[in-house]
Amino acid sequence: MKLKYGLDETPPLFENILFGLQWLAISVPGIIILGKIVGSLHVSDPYYQIIYLQKMYFVTGITLFCQVMWGHRLPLITGPSTVLLIGVITAGGFSLNAVYGSVALGGALLFLVSVLGVFGHIRKLFTPRVVAAVLLLIAVTLTPAIIRLLTTSDRAATVPVNLSFAMVVICLMFLLYRHLKGIWKSTIIIWSMTGATVLYLLLFPLARGTAKGAPHALVAPFFHGLTSGPDFQPGVIISFLFCFFALSVNDIGSIQSISEMLKPGEPEKRLNKGITVTGLANVLSGILGVIGPVNFSLSPGVIMASGCASRYALVPTAIGLTALAFSPLAMSFMGSVPPVVIGTMLVYILCYQVAAALMVLFEPGKAFPLESGLVIGFPLLLGAIFSFLPEDAIRTFPTLIRPLIGNGFVIGVLASLILEHLIFTKTSATK
Protein backbone atom coordinates (compact mmCIF):
# COMPACT_ATOMS: atom_id res chain seq x y z
CA MET A 1 0.00 0.00 0.00
CA LYS A 2 1.40 3.36 -1.06
CA LEU A 3 0.80 6.23 1.36
CA LYS A 4 1.11 9.90 0.58
CA TYR A 5 2.00 10.67 4.19
CA GLY A 6 3.39 8.21 6.72
CA LEU A 7 2.63 7.84 10.42
CA ASP A 8 5.01 10.52 11.74
CA GLU A 9 5.02 12.79 8.68
CA THR A 10 3.29 16.16 8.83
CA PRO A 11 1.31 17.21 5.73
CA PRO A 12 1.39 20.87 4.60
CA LEU A 13 -0.91 23.09 6.67
CA PHE A 14 -3.75 23.37 4.14
CA GLU A 15 -3.76 19.64 3.36
CA ASN A 16 -3.54 18.84 7.07
CA ILE A 17 -6.64 20.94 7.74
CA LEU A 18 -8.53 19.19 4.93
CA PHE A 19 -7.56 15.78 6.27
CA GLY A 20 -8.60 16.96 9.74
CA LEU A 21 -12.03 18.06 8.45
CA GLN A 22 -12.43 14.63 6.88
CA TRP A 23 -11.80 12.92 10.20
CA LEU A 24 -14.12 15.44 11.89
CA ALA A 25 -16.94 14.56 9.48
CA ILE A 26 -16.47 10.89 10.38
CA SER A 27 -16.30 11.56 14.13
CA VAL A 28 -19.36 13.83 14.47
CA PRO A 29 -22.16 11.30 13.67
CA GLY A 30 -21.16 8.90 16.44
CA ILE A 31 -21.15 11.68 19.02
CA ILE A 32 -24.52 13.03 17.87
CA ILE A 33 -26.18 9.61 17.77
CA LEU A 34 -24.92 8.42 21.16
CA GLY A 35 -25.28 11.86 22.74
CA LYS A 36 -28.88 12.25 21.61
CA ILE A 37 -29.79 8.76 22.82
CA VAL A 38 -28.20 9.05 26.26
CA GLY A 39 -29.17 12.68 26.77
CA SER A 40 -32.82 11.96 26.05
CA LEU A 41 -32.71 8.98 28.43
CA HIS A 42 -31.60 11.25 31.26
CA VAL A 43 -33.70 14.39 30.76
CA SER A 44 -36.41 15.77 28.51
CA ASP A 45 -35.22 19.38 28.84
CA PRO A 46 -33.41 20.36 25.57
CA TYR A 47 -31.17 22.72 27.55
CA TYR A 48 -29.51 19.88 29.46
CA GLN A 49 -29.46 17.63 26.40
CA ILE A 50 -27.36 20.25 24.60
CA ILE A 51 -25.04 20.53 27.61
CA TYR A 52 -24.64 16.75 27.55
CA LEU A 53 -23.57 16.91 23.89
CA GLN A 54 -21.13 19.73 24.69
CA LYS A 55 -19.43 17.63 27.33
CA MET A 56 -19.18 14.65 25.01
CA TYR A 57 -17.50 16.78 22.35
CA PHE A 58 -15.07 18.13 24.94
CA VAL A 59 -14.09 14.69 26.28
CA THR A 60 -13.75 13.27 22.76
CA GLY A 61 -11.56 16.17 21.59
CA ILE A 62 -9.25 16.03 24.61
CA THR A 63 -8.98 12.24 24.42
CA LEU A 64 -8.19 12.25 20.70
CA PHE A 65 -5.43 14.82 21.15
CA CYS A 66 -3.86 12.89 24.04
CA GLN A 67 -4.02 9.59 22.14
CA VAL A 68 -2.39 11.00 19.01
CA MET A 69 0.37 12.84 20.87
CA TRP A 70 1.12 10.62 23.90
CA GLY A 71 -1.11 7.53 23.87
CA HIS A 72 -1.03 4.96 21.08
CA ARG A 73 0.24 7.70 18.67
CA LEU A 74 -1.71 6.21 15.78
CA PRO A 75 -4.24 7.67 13.29
CA LEU A 76 -7.22 6.27 15.17
CA ILE A 77 -10.45 8.22 15.56
CA THR A 78 -12.01 8.35 19.04
CA GLY A 79 -15.68 8.48 19.97
CA PRO A 80 -18.26 7.57 22.63
CA SER A 81 -18.52 3.88 23.43
CA THR A 82 -21.68 2.12 22.26
CA VAL A 83 -21.23 -0.66 24.79
CA LEU A 84 -21.42 1.79 27.72
CA LEU A 85 -24.82 2.88 26.39
CA ILE A 86 -26.07 -0.57 27.36
CA GLY A 87 -24.95 -0.01 30.94
CA VAL A 88 -26.65 3.39 31.03
CA ILE A 89 -29.92 1.99 29.68
CA THR A 90 -30.12 -0.87 32.15
CA ALA A 91 -29.21 1.32 35.13
CA GLY A 92 -32.18 3.58 34.41
CA GLY A 93 -33.71 3.01 37.84
CA PHE A 94 -30.66 4.41 39.62
CA SER A 95 -29.42 7.97 40.05
CA LEU A 96 -27.12 9.57 37.49
CA ASN A 97 -24.54 9.92 40.25
CA ALA A 98 -24.50 6.12 40.57
CA VAL A 99 -24.30 5.64 36.78
CA TYR A 100 -21.39 8.00 36.22
CA GLY A 101 -19.66 7.04 39.45
CA SER A 102 -19.51 3.55 37.93
CA VAL A 103 -18.16 4.97 34.65
CA ALA A 104 -15.36 6.79 36.53
CA LEU A 105 -14.55 3.69 38.58
CA GLY A 106 -14.51 1.49 35.46
CA GLY A 107 -12.12 3.92 33.78
CA ALA A 108 -9.87 3.94 36.84
CA LEU A 109 -9.74 0.14 36.89
CA LEU A 110 -8.99 0.06 33.16
CA PHE A 111 -6.14 2.52 33.75
CA LEU A 112 -4.81 0.48 36.68
CA VAL A 113 -4.92 -2.83 34.80
CA SER A 114 -3.07 -1.29 31.86
CA VAL A 115 -0.39 0.33 34.04
CA LEU A 116 0.21 -2.90 35.99
CA GLY A 117 0.73 -4.83 32.76
CA VAL A 118 -1.79 -7.56 33.52
CA PHE A 119 -3.94 -6.80 30.50
CA GLY A 120 -2.48 -9.75 28.64
CA HIS A 121 -4.07 -12.13 31.15
CA ILE A 122 -7.52 -10.56 30.82
CA ARG A 123 -7.19 -10.46 27.03
CA LYS A 124 -6.77 -14.25 26.97
CA LEU A 125 -10.35 -14.67 28.19
CA PHE A 126 -11.61 -13.08 24.98
CA THR A 127 -11.00 -15.77 22.41
CA PRO A 128 -12.27 -15.26 18.83
CA ARG A 129 -15.56 -16.97 19.71
CA VAL A 130 -16.10 -14.74 22.75
CA VAL A 131 -15.18 -11.63 20.76
CA ALA A 132 -17.67 -12.59 18.05
CA ALA A 133 -20.35 -13.13 20.69
CA VAL A 134 -19.60 -9.73 22.24
CA LEU A 135 -19.88 -7.97 18.87
CA LEU A 136 -23.20 -9.66 18.15
CA LEU A 137 -24.51 -9.00 21.65
CA ILE A 138 -23.91 -5.27 21.29
CA ALA A 139 -26.13 -5.24 18.22
CA VAL A 140 -28.86 -7.46 19.68
CA THR A 141 -29.10 -5.83 23.10
CA LEU A 142 -29.38 -2.35 21.60
CA THR A 143 -32.51 -3.44 19.72
CA PRO A 144 -34.95 -2.14 22.39
CA ALA A 145 -33.36 1.33 22.21
CA ILE A 146 -33.56 1.29 18.40
CA ILE A 147 -37.22 0.26 18.53
CA ARG A 148 -37.99 3.23 20.81
CA LEU A 149 -36.27 5.61 18.41
CA LEU A 150 -37.99 4.24 15.31
CA THR A 151 -41.43 4.14 16.90
CA THR A 152 -41.34 7.47 18.72
CA SER A 153 -44.93 8.65 18.70
CA ASP A 154 -45.38 12.32 17.92
CA ARG A 155 -47.44 14.51 15.62
CA ALA A 156 -44.83 14.36 12.88
CA ALA A 157 -45.54 10.91 11.48
CA THR A 158 -47.14 7.56 12.32
CA VAL A 159 -45.12 4.50 13.32
CA PRO A 160 -45.62 2.73 9.93
CA VAL A 161 -44.40 5.86 8.13
CA ASN A 162 -41.35 6.12 10.41
CA LEU A 163 -40.44 2.46 9.85
CA SER A 164 -40.91 2.76 6.10
CA PHE A 165 -38.77 5.90 6.06
CA ALA A 166 -36.01 4.12 8.01
CA MET A 167 -35.97 1.07 5.72
CA VAL A 168 -35.82 3.19 2.56
CA VAL A 169 -32.95 5.30 3.94
CA ILE A 170 -30.96 2.22 5.00
CA CYS A 171 -31.35 0.61 1.58
CA LEU A 172 -30.23 3.84 -0.09
CA MET A 173 -27.19 3.96 2.21
CA PHE A 174 -26.17 0.43 1.20
CA LEU A 175 -26.66 1.39 -2.44
CA LEU A 176 -24.41 4.42 -1.96
CA TYR A 177 -21.83 2.28 -0.17
CA ARG A 178 -21.69 -0.03 -3.16
CA HIS A 179 -21.24 2.66 -5.80
CA LEU A 180 -19.37 5.51 -4.11
CA LYS A 181 -15.60 5.65 -3.85
CA GLY A 182 -12.92 7.40 -1.83
CA ILE A 183 -13.85 9.95 0.78
CA TRP A 184 -17.53 9.93 -0.28
CA LYS A 185 -17.73 6.26 0.62
CA SER A 186 -15.93 6.86 3.92
CA THR A 187 -18.34 9.61 4.97
CA ILE A 188 -21.68 8.06 3.97
CA ILE A 189 -23.06 8.36 7.49
CA ILE A 190 -22.66 12.12 7.85
CA TRP A 191 -24.10 12.87 4.38
CA SER A 192 -26.92 10.36 4.81
CA MET A 193 -27.83 11.71 8.24
CA THR A 194 -27.86 15.27 6.90
CA GLY A 195 -29.95 14.34 3.86
CA ALA A 196 -32.37 12.16 5.85
CA THR A 197 -32.86 14.93 8.43
CA VAL A 198 -33.62 17.55 5.77
CA LEU A 199 -35.98 15.19 3.95
CA TYR A 200 -37.82 14.19 7.13
CA LEU A 201 -38.28 17.80 8.24
CA LEU A 202 -39.55 18.74 4.78
CA LEU A 203 -42.02 15.85 4.77
CA PHE A 204 -43.10 16.39 8.40
CA PRO A 205 -42.66 20.07 9.39
CA LEU A 206 -44.18 19.44 12.84
CA ALA A 207 -41.00 17.60 13.82
CA ARG A 208 -39.00 20.84 13.63
CA GLY A 209 -39.99 21.85 17.14
CA THR A 210 -37.91 19.12 18.81
CA ALA A 211 -35.04 21.50 19.69
CA LYS A 212 -37.27 24.28 21.00
CA GLY A 213 -36.08 25.68 24.33
CA ALA A 214 -32.43 24.72 23.76
CA PRO A 215 -29.71 27.33 24.35
CA HIS A 216 -28.63 29.28 21.26
CA ALA A 217 -25.57 31.19 22.50
CA LEU A 218 -22.68 31.08 20.05
CA VAL A 219 -20.13 30.60 22.85
CA ALA A 220 -20.83 29.48 26.44
CA PRO A 221 -19.29 27.33 29.19
CA PHE A 222 -20.80 23.95 29.96
CA PHE A 223 -19.29 22.54 33.16
CA HIS A 224 -22.59 22.43 35.00
CA GLY A 225 -25.18 19.77 34.55
CA LEU A 226 -26.94 16.74 35.91
CA THR A 227 -24.51 15.08 38.36
CA SER A 228 -23.37 16.38 41.73
CA GLY A 229 -20.83 13.74 42.77
CA PRO A 230 -20.09 10.00 42.53
CA ASP A 231 -22.39 7.48 44.17
CA PHE A 232 -21.11 3.91 44.14
CA GLN A 233 -23.88 1.27 43.94
CA PRO A 234 -22.53 -2.33 43.88
CA GLY A 235 -25.07 -3.64 41.37
CA VAL A 236 -24.48 -0.81 38.91
CA ILE A 237 -20.70 -1.12 39.32
CA ILE A 238 -20.76 -4.86 38.53
CA SER A 239 -22.91 -4.20 35.47
CA PHE A 240 -20.50 -1.57 34.16
CA LEU A 241 -17.46 -3.75 34.83
CA PHE A 242 -18.73 -6.19 32.21
CA CYS A 243 -19.27 -3.28 29.82
CA PHE A 244 -15.69 -2.13 30.41
CA PHE A 245 -14.43 -5.63 29.59
CA ALA A 246 -16.12 -5.29 26.21
CA LEU A 247 -14.81 -1.73 25.83
CA SER A 248 -11.27 -2.97 26.41
CA VAL A 249 -11.75 -5.64 23.72
CA ASN A 250 -12.91 -2.91 21.33
CA ASP A 251 -9.87 -0.80 22.20
CA ILE A 252 -7.43 -3.69 21.75
CA GLY A 253 -8.96 -4.68 18.42
CA SER A 254 -8.88 -1.11 17.07
CA ILE A 255 -5.27 -0.47 18.09
CA GLN A 256 -4.04 -3.86 16.87
CA SER A 257 -5.84 -3.58 13.51
CA ILE A 258 -4.18 -0.26 12.67
CA SER A 259 -0.83 -1.48 14.03
CA GLU A 260 -0.99 -4.52 11.78
CA MET A 261 -1.67 -2.26 8.82
CA LEU A 262 1.04 0.37 9.44
CA LYS A 263 3.62 -1.82 11.23
CA PRO A 264 4.83 0.88 13.68
CA GLY A 265 7.53 0.20 16.25
CA GLU A 266 6.84 -0.87 19.85
CA PRO A 267 3.32 -2.28 19.28
CA GLU A 268 2.92 -3.54 22.87
CA LYS A 269 3.96 -0.17 24.29
CA ARG A 270 1.49 1.60 22.01
CA LEU A 271 -1.26 -0.77 23.11
CA ASN A 272 -0.62 -0.21 26.82
CA LYS A 273 -0.40 3.57 26.46
CA GLY A 274 -3.52 3.66 24.31
CA ILE A 275 -5.60 1.75 26.85
CA THR A 276 -4.12 3.86 29.66
CA VAL A 277 -5.38 7.04 27.99
CA THR A 278 -8.76 5.42 27.36
CA GLY A 279 -9.02 4.58 31.07
CA LEU A 280 -8.16 8.13 32.15
CA ALA A 281 -10.61 9.53 29.59
CA ASN A 282 -13.40 7.45 31.09
CA VAL A 283 -12.50 8.74 34.55
CA LEU A 284 -12.89 12.28 33.20
CA SER A 285 -16.18 11.27 31.55
CA GLY A 286 -17.52 9.92 34.83
CA ILE A 287 -16.56 13.13 36.64
CA LEU A 288 -18.28 15.28 34.00
CA GLY A 289 -21.29 12.94 33.86
CA VAL A 290 -21.13 11.68 30.26
CA ILE A 291 -20.59 8.37 28.51
CA GLY A 292 -16.91 7.47 28.05
CA PRO A 293 -14.84 7.23 24.82
CA VAL A 294 -13.14 4.37 23.01
CA ASN A 295 -10.95 4.01 19.91
CA PHE A 296 -13.02 3.28 16.79
CA SER A 297 -12.12 0.53 14.33
CA LEU A 298 -13.11 2.24 11.05
CA SER A 299 -9.80 4.10 10.61
CA PRO A 300 -8.04 1.64 8.21
CA GLY A 301 -10.62 2.23 5.48
CA VAL A 302 -10.28 6.00 5.79
CA ILE A 303 -6.49 5.74 5.55
CA MET A 304 -6.67 3.59 2.44
CA ALA A 305 -9.17 5.97 0.82
CA SER A 306 -7.16 9.14 1.54
CA GLY A 307 -3.60 7.80 1.37
CA CYS A 308 -2.79 9.72 4.55
CA ALA A 309 -1.65 7.79 7.62
CA SER A 310 -0.25 10.82 9.45
CA ARG A 311 -1.31 10.99 13.09
CA TYR A 312 -0.89 14.76 12.93
CA ALA A 313 -3.86 14.97 10.57
CA LEU A 314 -6.06 14.24 13.59
CA VAL A 315 -4.76 17.23 15.55
CA PRO A 316 -7.10 19.68 13.68
CA THR A 317 -9.92 17.19 14.33
CA ALA A 318 -9.24 17.22 18.07
CA ILE A 319 -9.08 21.03 18.09
CA GLY A 320 -12.34 21.24 16.14
CA LEU A 321 -14.17 18.86 18.48
CA THR A 322 -12.98 20.77 21.55
CA ALA A 323 -13.98 24.12 20.01
CA LEU A 324 -17.46 22.84 19.13
CA ALA A 325 -17.93 21.84 22.77
CA PHE A 326 -18.13 25.52 23.75
CA SER A 327 -20.84 26.45 21.25
CA PRO A 328 -24.42 25.67 22.35
CA LEU A 329 -25.61 27.05 19.02
CA ALA A 330 -23.61 24.39 17.17
CA MET A 331 -24.86 21.71 19.58
CA SER A 332 -28.46 22.87 19.17
CA PHE A 333 -28.13 22.71 15.40
CA MET A 334 -26.46 19.28 15.45
CA GLY A 335 -28.90 18.03 18.09
CA SER A 336 -32.01 18.74 16.01
CA VAL A 337 -31.81 15.38 14.24
CA PRO A 338 -35.21 13.55 14.50
CA PRO A 339 -35.21 10.33 16.59
CA VAL A 340 -36.19 8.20 13.59
CA VAL A 341 -33.08 9.37 11.72
CA ILE A 342 -30.85 8.57 14.70
CA GLY A 343 -32.38 5.11 14.95
CA THR A 344 -31.85 4.59 11.24
CA MET A 345 -28.16 5.51 11.46
CA LEU A 346 -27.73 3.22 14.47
CA VAL A 347 -29.21 0.29 12.51
CA TYR A 348 -26.78 0.99 9.66
CA ILE A 349 -23.78 1.16 12.01
CA LEU A 350 -24.75 -2.03 13.84
CA CYS A 351 -25.02 -3.88 10.52
CA TYR A 352 -21.27 -3.44 10.24
CA GLN A 353 -20.93 -4.61 13.83
CA VAL A 354 -22.65 -7.85 12.86
CA ALA A 355 -20.53 -8.13 9.71
CA ALA A 356 -17.37 -7.75 11.81
CA ALA A 357 -18.52 -10.55 14.10
CA LEU A 358 -19.18 -12.86 11.14
CA MET A 359 -15.72 -12.08 9.74
CA VAL A 360 -14.21 -13.15 13.06
CA LEU A 361 -16.19 -16.40 12.99
CA PHE A 362 -15.77 -17.49 9.41
CA GLU A 363 -12.06 -17.21 8.76
CA PRO A 364 -10.84 -18.79 5.51
CA GLY A 365 -9.48 -22.29 5.93
CA LYS A 366 -10.94 -22.78 9.41
CA ALA A 367 -13.79 -25.12 10.28
CA PHE A 368 -16.86 -23.96 12.15
CA PRO A 369 -17.78 -26.74 14.62
CA LEU A 370 -21.12 -27.14 16.33
CA GLU A 371 -19.60 -26.09 19.67
CA SER A 372 -18.75 -22.68 18.22
CA GLY A 373 -22.39 -22.20 17.27
CA LEU A 374 -23.40 -23.05 20.84
CA VAL A 375 -20.83 -20.73 22.43
CA ILE A 376 -22.25 -17.88 20.35
CA GLY A 377 -25.88 -18.87 19.83
CA PHE A 378 -26.91 -19.46 23.45
CA PRO A 379 -25.46 -16.15 24.78
CA LEU A 380 -27.10 -14.34 21.87
CA LEU A 381 -30.54 -15.77 22.64
CA LEU A 382 -30.06 -15.24 26.36
CA GLY A 383 -29.03 -11.62 25.81
CA ALA A 384 -32.12 -11.00 23.65
CA ILE A 385 -34.44 -12.56 26.24
CA PHE A 386 -33.07 -10.50 29.13
CA SER A 387 -33.01 -7.31 27.04
CA PHE A 388 -36.75 -7.58 26.41
CA LEU A 389 -37.76 -8.52 29.98
CA PRO A 390 -40.69 -6.33 31.12
CA GLU A 391 -39.89 -3.67 33.71
CA ASP A 392 -42.35 -5.28 36.14
CA ALA A 393 -40.43 -8.57 35.93
CA ILE A 394 -37.07 -6.87 36.52
CA ARG A 395 -38.40 -5.08 39.60
CA THR A 396 -39.16 -8.44 41.25
CA PHE A 397 -35.42 -9.10 41.63
CA PRO A 398 -33.33 -7.75 44.55
CA THR A 399 -32.01 -4.22 44.02
CA LEU A 400 -28.38 -5.35 44.13
CA ILE A 401 -28.63 -7.61 41.08
CA ARG A 402 -31.33 -5.68 39.20
CA PRO A 403 -28.86 -3.91 36.86
CA LEU A 404 -27.39 -7.31 35.95
CA ILE A 405 -30.74 -8.96 35.30
CA GLY A 406 -31.90 -6.06 33.16
CA ASN A 407 -28.65 -6.02 31.19
CA GLY A 408 -28.93 -8.61 28.43
CA PHE A 409 -25.41 -7.76 27.27
CA VAL A 410 -23.91 -8.63 30.66
CA ILE A 411 -25.87 -11.89 30.87
CA GLY A 412 -24.79 -12.82 27.33
CA VAL A 413 -21.10 -12.09 27.92
CA LEU A 414 -21.15 -14.08 31.16
CA ALA A 415 -22.80 -17.03 29.41
CA SER A 416 -20.25 -16.86 26.61
CA LEU A 417 -17.29 -16.90 29.02
CA ILE A 418 -18.76 -19.85 30.94
CA LEU A 419 -19.36 -21.87 27.77
CA GLU A 420 -15.95 -21.05 26.31
CA HIS A 421 -13.75 -21.55 29.36
CA LEU A 422 -15.65 -23.99 31.58
CA ILE A 423 -17.83 -26.20 29.37
CA PHE A 424 -16.20 -26.37 25.91
CA THR A 425 -12.61 -25.91 27.05
CA LYS A 426 -11.11 -28.60 24.80
CA THR A 427 -12.76 -27.35 21.63
CA SER A 428 -11.82 -23.76 22.43
CA ALA A 429 -8.21 -24.78 22.83
CA THR A 430 -8.15 -26.30 19.35
CA LYS A 431 -10.00 -23.44 17.69
Side-chain angles (χ1 to χ4, degrees), residues 109-244:
L109 291 175
L110 191 63
F111 166 78
L112 183 62
V113 168
S114 179
V115 169
L116 294 178
V118 297
F119 223 97
H121 299 290
I122 296 177
R123 186 174 54 184
K124 293 177 182 178
L125 294 175
F126 291 86
T127 63
R129 298 196 298 203
V130 174
V131 170
V134 167
L135 292 172
L136 291 170
L137 280 165
I138 292 173
V140 169
T141 53
L142 282 176
T143 302
I146 295 173
I147 292 174
R148 285 194 292 270
L149 288 168
L150 296 180
T151 59
T152 297
S153 179
D154 55 25
R155 295 181 300 166
T158 62
V159 172
V161 170
N162 278 349
L163 290 174
S164 300
F165 180 87
M167 295 305 104
V168 170
V169 170
I170 291 171
C171 290
L172 287 174
M173 290 177 73
F174 283 128
L175 190 64
L176 289 173
Y177 180 83
R178 179 181 177 183
H179 292 287
L180 291 180
K181 295 181 180 179
I183 187 60
W184 296 104
K185 187 172 185 177
S186 301
T187 56
I188 284 176
I189 294 175
I190 185 65
W191 307 124
S192 298
M193 183 163 61
T194 303
T197 299
V198 172
L199 178 61
Y200 191 84
L201 294 180
L202 287 175
L203 292 174
F204 310 106
L206 290 175
R208 295 176 188 172
T210 53
K212 187 177 179 181
H216 295 289
L218 179 61
V219 179
F222 64 92
F223 289 104
H224 64 286
L226 307 175
T227 56
S228 57
D231 179 22
F232 301 110
Q233 296 289 338
V236 182
I237 291 172
I238 295 172
S239 177
F240 268 96
L241 287 181
F242 279 91
C243 294
F244 270 95

Side-chain angles (χ1 to χ4, degrees), residues 286-339:
I287 293 173
L288 293 178
V290 293
I291 198 168
V294 70
N295 289 295
F296 284 177
S297 57
L298 48 78
S299 297
V302 180
I303 292 171
M304 288 187 288
S306 64
C308 178
S310 172
R311 60 189 173 104
Y312 297 108
L314 279 84
V315 173
T317 306
I319 295 173
L321 289 170
T322 308
L324 286 172
F326 292 92
S327 176
L329 180 62
M331 295 299 100
S332 179
F333 175 75
M334 295 178 180
S336 62
V337 182

Side-chain angles (χ1 to χ4, degrees), residues 128 355-369 431:
L358 297 178
M359 290 174 65
V360 171
L361 287 176
F362 299 103
E363 295 183 22
K366 287 190 176 182
F368 186 78
K431 179 68 176 167

Side-chain angles (χ1 to χ4, degrees), residues 19 254 300 321 351 377 382:
F19 285 129
S254 298
L321 289 170
C351 286
L382 207 60

